[in-house]
Amino acid sequence: MEHRPDHTAISAAVASLMPSARGELAELVAFRSVADPAQFPPAECRAAAEWVASALRAEGFQDVALLDTPDGTASVYGHLPGPEGAPTVLLYAHYDVQPPLDEAAWTSPPFELTERDGRWCGRGAADCKGGVMMHLLALRALRAAGGVPVSVKVIAEGSEEQGTGGLERYAEAHPELLAADAVVIGDTGNFRAGQPTVTAMLRGMVAVRVQVDTLEGNLHSGAFGGAAPDALAALVRMLGSLHDEDGSTTVDGLTGGGTWPGTAYPEKVFREDARVLDGVELIGSGSVADRVWARPSVTVLGIDCPAVVGATPSVQAGARALVSLRVPPGVDAGAAGTLLAEHLRSRAPWGARVSTDVVGEGQGFRADTASPAYASMASAMREAYDGTPMAVVGQGGSIPLTSTLAALYPDAEILLIGLSDPAAKIHAVDESVSPEELERMAVAEALFLSRYAATAAR
Ligand SMILES: [Zn+2]
């Protein structure tokens, strides 16, 4: 693959910055920035935010500030004005992290960045403190190679993992703040290490809590079982109606035949990623990509009923479940939640009393992959990865800020990239980031900014 001069300069700059980047990522990972004051001191989040703010100031950013968001956390903002007439690109990451879960189960301490098997291990190394480093490296490389050719805004969120929506509400209340021509959300990852990937679709989600009541109180199953209406049995039947014979999700009124036009997700690879047991079939119909990115899926998240240990011979008077529904973009999450609640109520057997409430909702997102920013990213990734073409995938999870930004700035092109490849074990014990991926993704992002500036100038 022929390398243009800026590729050579940028690759060399990022390579020379990698040793210091490792030290910086270690500093960032050392902050226990879990945005849950019940478990971790808020001072840890504050210190991580200050770290990001001073890194931005060192890059020449202006108006650098810790924005106090309505959920009590802070997002770090900064603005780097570019050349006259240059487009504005917003770079997003978050500095808060998931809790480490069982600290003793980690192979090395979760808040000490440790090299193992060629990866850098630590909580947040990939999700998303590595994303912070990716943005910084890209900007530094551009500066070393002659200058940042676009105006850049950076926003680093402080409560993404909590889902408390502080930045979403702040952005809605300050609609000019994050306005940009293109947005790079640095919080997803490559489909495989070495396979540059942009995520162009996020499913929406909604959850419904369903309560079933049949009796005034529990009854002895010997004396009453066989005639007494069992609330747990009723609930099981209702939940069972949400999948058909092959496991496809079936919610009355919700269409399920969507197809995924982007990169395929081979069944063999999916089985490995999902660690499906030998002899057990996948559920649903259509290609794997259709099922996980283009069709609705229902998951029962929890059931309130007696645990096996300590269970007594009783017919249950009441039972409760929390049901999650993921929907492809284009399907309104709220309307889908209403359909799910109606479906459950209509399937209640034996006149059982049913109440439902919708307990959370986030809209999906779909990018226009024919846009100039996507073309620039495709060219940048191919070059940074020695000719490997960019994959376009969806993601079943949601990043609510993406939908907020898409609604606030309908003309902005939004691209999701990042360092959470399947080996990164984000949200789990032994999270890690690949330094090669950090290096190449930083090169890709820098090349993207350079290509995008040139496209937009034309
Ligand atoms: Zn994340």
Side-chain angles (χ1 to χ4, degrees):
M1 172 112 208
E2 183 205 338
H3 290 180
R4 300 184 216 180
D6 59 345
H7 181 199
T8 308
I10 284 168
S11 302
V14 173
S16 74
L17 290 164
M18 284 305 289
S20 57
R22 178 182 174 162
E24 289 178 281
L25 185 57
E27 288 175 23
L28 205 43
V29 164
F31 299 113
R32 298 170 165 255
S33 49
V34 178
D36 176 3
Q39 287 191 74
F40 290 86
E44 294 279 331
C45 284
R46 207 74 189 176
E50 294 287 2
W51 189 101
V52 176
S54 63
L56 293 180
R57 284 191 200 97
E59 291 310 303
F61 273 69
Q62 302 173 2
D63 310 320
V64 175
L66 270 56
L67 310 173
D68 290 316
T69 57
D71 63 353
T73 66
S75 288
V76 186
Y77 171 82
H79 177 216
L80 183 71
E84 187 71 34
T88 298
V89 179
L90 173 69
L91 306 180
Y92 166 92
H94 60 87
Y95 66 82
D96 72 307
V97 295
Q98 282 283 329
L101 307 169
D102 182 2
E103 284 204 39
W106 283 68
T107 308
S108 52
F111 297 103
E112 285 175 29
L113 194 71
T114 306
E115 182 161 357
R116 196 163 54 248
D117 303 329
R119 295 182 70 96
W120 296 346
C121 307
R123 174 55 89 223
D127 179 19
C128 183
K129 289 170 171 174
V132 173
M133 285 313 305
M134 175 183 75
H135 293 325
L136 287 172
L137 283 169
L139 294 170
R140 289 171 187 168
L142 285 168
R143 193 153 55 97
V148 179
V150 293
S151 286
V152 177
K153 292 176 178 177
V154 165
I155 189 80
E157 187 175 9
S159 57
E160 195 276 339
E161 301 293 7
Q162 300 298 318
T164 42
L167 179 56
E168 287 132 75
R169 279 177 282 155
Y170 192 96
E172 282 160 358
H174 302 81
E176 280 310 301
L177 184 76
L178 302 180
D181 299 293
V183 179
V184 179
I185 306 273
D187 194 25
T188 56
N190 287 341
F191 193 51
R192 294 268 149 262
Q195 168 59 68
T197 304
V198 64
T199 301
M201 184 287 292
L202 300 171
R203 286 199 287 197
M205 66 145 310
V206 63
V208 170
R209 200 158 43 201
V210 55
Q211 169 82 40
V212 179
D213 293 293
T214 51
L215 300 163
E216 287 189 1
N218 291 354
L219 298 172
H220 191 279
S221 59
F224 294 95
D230 181 336
L232 182 54
L235 178 64
V236 167
R237 288 172 65 112
M238 291 156 61
L239 298 176
S241 73
L242 294 168
H243 294 94
D244 69 12
E245 219 33 52
D246 70 6
S248 297
T249 287
T250 49
V251 175
D252 295 343
L254 200 59
T255 47
T259 53
W260 176 250
T263 302
Y265 198 158
E267 184 161 335
K268 183 176 176 302
V269 176
F270 180 84
R271 291 189 69 92
E272 282 168 21
D273 288 349
R275 296 187 293 164
V276 180
L277 300 178
D278 281 347
V280 182
E281 296 165 20
L282 302 187
I283 64 171
S285 62
S287 74
V288 170
D290 295 342
R291 297 180 221 180
V292 295
W293 298 330
R295 297 183 181 189
S297 72
V298 152
T299 306
V300 178
L301 302 185
I303 299 179
D304 284 348
C305 64
V308 171
V309 174
T312 57
S314 302
V315 175
Q316 298 301 310
R320 194 160 73 136
L322 181 62
V323 182
S324 151
L325 172 61
R326 304 275 174 175
V327 290
V331 176
D332 180 76
T338 304
L339 289 173
L340 173 58
E342 281 170 4
H343 176 109
L344 288 167
R345 282 198 302 268
S346 76
R347 293 305 203 286
W350 321 315
R353 296 184 190 171
V354 177
S355 64
T356 53
D357 57 322
V358 175
V359 291
E361 133 184 4
Q363 297 297 340
F365 161 78
R366 189 190 337 249
D368 171 14
T369 53
S371 66
Y374 271 80
S376 299
M377 186 62 86
S379 139
M381 283 184 156
R382 183 190 282 269
E383 205 158 333
Y385 280 80
D386 299 323
T388 306
M390 175 177 90
V392 178
V393 302
Q395 184 174 299
S398 23
I399 302 176
L401 182 72
T402 307
S403 314
T404 304
L405 295 176
L408 279 173
Y409 317 118
D411 294 334
E413 302 175 60
I414 301 180
L415 305 102
L416 297 102
I417 63 172
L419 299 164
S420 298
D421 59 51
K425 294 188 185 166
I426 60 163
H427 297 199
V429 164
D430 284 346
E431 177 178 350
S432 67
V433 72
S434 155
E436 287 81 26
E437 292 290 274
L438 173 58
E439 182 171 346
R440 290 223 253 190
M441 286 302 294
V443 171
E445 184 168 79
L447 290 174
F448 160 73
L449 293 172
S450 150
R451 303 277 186 280
Y452 181 63
T455 314
R458 246 177 258 133

